Amino acid sequence: MKLIEVSKNFPTEEQALAYFEKRRWPNGIRCPICGAKEISKITRKSKSKNVRAQVYQCLEQTCKSQFSATSGTIFHDSHLPLSKWFMAISLMIDAKKGMSALQLQRHLGVNYRTAWYLAHRIREAMDEPDGLKLTGTVEIDETYIGGKQRGHKGKKLNKDVVLGIRQRGGPLKLVHVVDNKAGTLYEQVAQHVDKDKTDHIVTDDAGWYNFRLTKFRNVRHSKILHSAKEYVRGEVHTNTVENAFSLLKRAVIGTYHQLSIKHLQRYLNEFSYRFNRREIADRFEQTVARMVGIKAMPYRKLIEQHAFTPFVKP
Ligand SMILES: [Zn+2]
């Protein structure tokens, strides 16, 4: 669903709630506390259009809980109408270069704190499931993000290293790594590439790509000689991972002017989530469905989580 369809399909909060209810309870409403099917509807009259007036009452004698369609989900302790959430989701998953909290603020007409909160909560749904492993022909390359280095040609000491692993014709995985040493990169490759289902690894001729002493030693490994200005040799190239890098760089430069390095991995996750679904027609529906499964997250907890530093650079 594109933004235009989202605003057309959910002109009222009731319609957005009905859509959400179907995603949450495809087989009929159940009490989120005890799981009972016997429930009754209570419609409250509300003066404010932003208040979710539809409430349910569990009829199980030992439970008797009252709940709404969003109770216990990530959407719950938000005073924003669901229709705004849906617009934010649509904006974030369709923005090729990413969407900053500042842009969300402008598009939705909410304050910055609300936009920031929304963006981070939607990102929670944008983590790839654990265990996604790449197969087939796998291109591996690294790129450097960060400060300019005048007079230090070739040295990349102050820059942050992003390792890109892409299954040719398939998904992309981006990892913020501490350095470009062979051991560091290999550890990530081992985590994200399926050794048994990969028949070809392609990298450039940088010295750190050497799998001879690793469990990938029996997988065919080709090197494209970037140092000799060679970019394609038949099926040997890293062009599809490099295409992703150039889009990433435009996103980092164009959207997140003040991208904080400590949040880099989260932005990388968001970027790859979007990238990997750019041709999937129901990515909006899929993202809402994922968010249904994410528990409520208080502002304080979110701040704590986002204050983490994945590693300290030496
Ligand atoms: Zn109940």
Side-chain angles (χ1 to χ4, degrees):
M1 235 183 273
K2 302 236 175 264
L3 183 61
I4 182 85
E5 293 158 329
V6 169
S7 38
K8 221 191 284 171
N9 292 349
F10 309 114
T12 67
E13 188 60 5
E14 284 69 33
Q15 276 150 310
L17 271 170
Y19 174 87
F20 184 78
E21 246 176 47
K22 282 221 183 86
R23 296 290 163 302
R24 182 169 191 190
W25 294 298
N27 305 313
I29 299 167
R30 280 173 181 265
C31 168
I33 306 297
C34 73
K37 276 183 180 171
E38 303 302 312
I39 50 131
S40 73
K41 251 186 186 185
I42 308 164
T43 304
R44 285 184 189 147
K45 282 206 172 121
S46 168
K47 278 172 198 157
S48 160
K49 65 177 166 66
N50 283 354
V51 170
R52 289 177 200 151
Q54 189 64 68
V55 177
Y56 299 98
Q57 168 86 59
C58 175
L59 298 178
E60 172 60 46
Q61 285 306 317
T62 54
C63 179
K64 292 263 180 193
S65 305
Q66 281 196 354
F67 58 94
S68 74
T70 57
S71 290
T73 74
I74 202 168
F75 299 92
H76 187 59
D77 49 356
S78 154
H79 299 293
L80 269 188
L82 262 187
S83 47
K84 289 245 180 194
W85 273 96
F86 287 174
M87 284 171 81
I89 294 168
S90 171
L91 283 164
M92 281 182 71
I93 55 175
D94 283 337
K96 254 194 176 176
K97 293 197 273 176
M99 172 85 32
S100 65
L102 200 65
Q103 287 169 302
L104 264 191
Q105 173 190 4
R106 291 194 197 116
H107 282 294
L108 299 176
V110 296
N111 67 38
Y112 184 78
R113 189 178 181 268
T114 302
W116 183 91
Y117 194 24
L118 263 176
H120 274 307
R121 288 170 155 216
I122 293 168
R123 274 183 204 118
E124 290 293 317
M126 289 183 160
D127 268 347
E128 292 288 358
D130 291 340
L132 170 76
K133 292 229 178 192
L134 309 188
T135 61
T137 296
V138 174
E139 297 177 19
I140 304 171
D141 198 4
E142 81 288 345
T143 192
Y144 300 84
I145 287 182
K148 291 209 172 68
Q149 313 225 347
R150 278 185 214 97
H152 289 274
K153 212 181 166 210
K155 285 189 187 168
K156 287 156 178 169
L157 292 175
N158 311 330
K159 298 214 175 200
D160 278 83
V161 188
V162 173
L163 179 69
I165 310 173
R166 185 164 179 202
Q167 178 177 323
R168 198 172 287 167
L172 166 77
K173 179 77 202 172
L174 296 173
V175 194
H176 181 199
V177 283
V178 68
D179 55 39
N180 60 7
K181 291 186 179 135
T184 309
L185 303 182
Y186 170 66
E187 200 178 301
Q188 294 303 325
V189 173
Q191 200 176 324
H192 301 294
V193 178
D194 188 329
K195 161 182 80 78
D196 300 320
K197 293 180 187 156
T198 297
D199 39 48
H200 194 189
I201 292 177
V202 188
T203 65
D204 62 20
D205 51 342
W208 44 77
Y209 294 116
N210 182 346
F211 300 101
R212 265 177 303 187
L213 296 175
T214 73
K215 65 176 183 175
F216 289 89
R217 62 188 169 276
N218 295 324
V219 177
R220 179 182 162 211
H221 177 198
S222 307
K223 295 185 175 194
I224 189 78
L225 306 176
H226 281 175
S227 62
K229 300 211 179 323
E230 180 190 47
Y231 297 99
V232 183
R233 189 174 74 243
E235 57 174 343
V236 179
H237 63 79
T238 52
N239 292 347
T240 83
V241 71
E242 284 171 50
N243 289 345
F245 281 158
S246 61
L247 197 58
L248 172 72
K249 291 213 163 177
R250 271 178 278 155
V252 169
I253 296 161
T255 314
Y256 305 111
H257 301 281
Q258 295 163 316
L259 171 70
S260 158
I261 286 301
K262 74 181 180 193
H263 295 153
L264 182 58
Q265 187 60 53
R266 285 180 187 272
Y267 288 103
L268 296 177
N269 291 347
E270 177 192 344
F271 180 89
S272 351
Y273 180 89
R274 194 161 38 227
F275 188 86
N276 291 341
R277 284 161 187 78
R278 69 203 182 286
E279 280 158 18
I280 295 176
D282 68 343
R283 55 187 179 274
F284 173 84
E285 289 79 353
Q286 280 190 15
T287 307
V288 173
R290 275 166 171 254
M291 292 184 73
V292 170
I294 297 174
K295 296 263 182 293
M297 187 178 297
Y299 191 72
R300 199 167 42 98
K301 197 180 151 207
L302 200 66
I303 298 251
E304 274 168 24
Q305 270 197 13
H306 287 266
F308 84 114
T309 306
F311 46 72
V312 178
K313 277 180 80 69

